[in-house]
Amino acid sequence: MGLEAGGAAIGSAPVADCMMKGTTMLPQPEIIDRGRGPEIKGTRITVYDVMDYYKQGHHRDHIASILRLGSAEVEVAIRYIEEHKDEVMADYREILDRCARGNPPEIEAKLEAAHRRARTRIAAIRAAAKGGDIDRASP
């Protein structure tokens, strides 16, 4: 029929329809698991991120706007949540419980030490900038 693009003839539908309308064919959104839990393919947004808003009754389009996703991507996440409700809810509760517990004391100590070092470094940079000698703030 004509030239082929990715196995589909250029003059055939639906490729021709998209080309005539000046639109781009986008892949269908899907849920994948790369080891962090179910997430929207091509993003780092998990179904648990969507769940935070979905449980509060937010509309799909509003969730999409907040998370900078397409409505179809959010719809796929919501469908996944509904189809795997028991598993998703159990994991979601575990995540919320873990957040409520906070970090263990040894992690909190490491974080505080890192924050102290950062604050000291920032203070040195600011002091050097006021004195006009930025090079003195370099380690």
Side-chain angles (χ1 to χ4, degrees):
M1 162 151 194
L3 297 176
E4 293 193 6
I10 295 285
S12 67
V15 174
D17 291 339
C18 287
M19 292 179 82
M20 287 190 298
K21 294 176 186 171
T23 60
T24 303
M25 288 187 66
L26 298 174
Q28 292 295 317
E30 63 181 295
I31 301 298
I32 60 169
D33 192 337
R34 297 183 301 167
R36 300 175 348 115
E39 63 186 46
I40 300 166
K41 185 176 182 177
T43 73
R44 293 187 53 85
I45 306 293
T46 67
V47 296
Y48 310 112
D49 296 317
V50 173
M51 182 74 138
D52 288 334
Y53 300 100
Y54 181 59
K55 277 184 54 181
Q56 295 174 17
H58 290 275
H59 187 271
R60 172 199 68 207
D61 296 336
H62 181 70
I63 298 170
S65 174
I66 292 169
L67 298 176
R68 298 179 182 217
L69 297 170
S71 293
E73 293 172 307
V74 174
E75 187 64 39
V76 166
I78 291 171
R79 191 169 39 251
Y80 182 92
I81 290 167
E82 292 298 328
E83 291 172 359
H84 301 89
K85 195 169 210 119
D86 293 338
E87 176 189 348
V88 170
M89 286 305 295
D91 291 343
Y92 185 72
R93 277 190 293 278
E94 186 178 313
I95 291 167
L96 293 178
D97 290 345
R98 188 176 340 124
C99 288
R101 284 192 304 270
N103 289 322
E106 63 275 9
I107 299 298
E108 285 297 327
K110 287 181 181 180
L111 288 170
E112 182 52 38
H115 288 151
R116 264 193 315 277
R117 287 191 305 273
R119 285 190 298 269
T120 300
R121 178 80 177 116
I122 290 168
I125 290 170
R126 287 182 178 157
K130 280 184 181 177
D133 189 6
I134 275 286
D135 291 334
R136 287 190 314 200
S138 297

